[in-house]
Amino acid sequence: MIFMEPQALGVTVLCKSWVERLPEDFKPSGEKFQELFDAFVPGALTFLRRNLIETAVTVDNNLVNSMFKIIDCQMAVFLNKEEGGDEEENKGKPEKMISESFMFALIWSIGGSCDARSRIKFDGWLRENATEKGYTGMIPGSGADDDEICYDKLFHVKQ
């Protein structure tokens, strides 16, 4: 048996493992999750480590696992059948929530560990990165001023 530090594995293997255990309704969206992960997570972690101040010390693999747990919770709410209704009607379409769910989880896991000034910087980086990679409309808030950054918006799973 070989023991390795978790950091030696990197975070990409965490995503691959997580995608493999997605619920059946979300299995077809595994590639989309992987695409979003590759587009945002490595850069967000690098930006966090080099440019932001965290309120508590974190490690990359725990931040990524926190992001996946947030998405898992959102999927559980999405898949939960509401009382007194048609199951298919209550569920909706999983593909409609993927980008928003991912972005919410990214903001509140990796971006959520930093102080208030750093959150403004993270918002700017996130918007710039999204524009560069063709995901312009995914970031909540306008980013026009400090009062409307990505942290100030709500995400409702079933709306």
Side-chain angles (χ1 to χ4, degrees):
M1 183 178 287
I2 299 174
F3 292 98
M4 296 177 64
E5 290 290 323
Q7 292 84 357
L9 293 174
V11 294
T12 306
V13 296
L14 296 174
C15 184
K16 288 179 183 174
S17 173
W18 179 78
V19 166
E20 287 175 4
R21 62 178 171 78
L22 282 171
E24 284 304 314
D25 287 355
F26 286 91
K27 288 252 187 236
S29 304
E31 286 182 26
K32 180 66 174 175
F33 278 120
Q34 184 71 52
E35 176 185 313
L36 291 168
F37 181 91
D38 293 341
F40 289 99
V41 173
L45 291 168
T46 300
F47 188 77
L48 171 70
R49 299 290 172 227
R50 293 182 181 170
N51 302 294
L52 307 178
I53 298 169
E54 291 185 285
T55 56
V57 179
T58 62
V59 292
D60 292 353
N61 58 341
N62 284 348
L63 290 173
V64 171
N65 277 327
S66 294
M67 183 181 79
F68 292 142
K69 286 179 182 183
I70 292 170
I71 296 171
D72 286 343
C73 290
Q74 293 168 340
M75 285 191 286
V77 169
F78 183 83
L79 295 171
N80 188 21
K81 181 181 170 198
E82 293 178 16
E83 287 188 36
D86 180 31
E87 185 175 341
E88 290 303 315
E89 181 183 311
N90 286 331
K91 277 182 158 179
K93 301 284 184 214
E95 56 274 0
K96 288 185 178 182
M97 68 159 286
I98 292 168
S99 298
E100 292 84 2
S101 177
F102 178 87
M103 201 51 60
F104 178 85
L106 176 70
I107 291 166
W108 287 107
S109 58
I110 296 172
S113 67
C114 51
D115 67 1
R117 286 186 182 173
S118 294
R119 287 182 179 190
I120 295 167
K121 291 179 187 178
F122 185 79
D123 178 77
W125 174 84
L126 191 57
R127 290 177 194 290
E128 183 180 313
N129 191 56
T131 301
E132 286 175 9
K133 301 207 171 153
Y135 295 106
T136 306
M138 283 182 53
I139 313 302
S142 67
D145 55 38
D146 295 348
D147 292 333
E148 201 169 305
I149 60 176
C150 61
Y151 296 90
D152 298 327
K153 296 296 178 179
L154 298 175
F155 170 68
H156 296 283
V157 174
K158 291 194 176 189
Q159 289 184 348

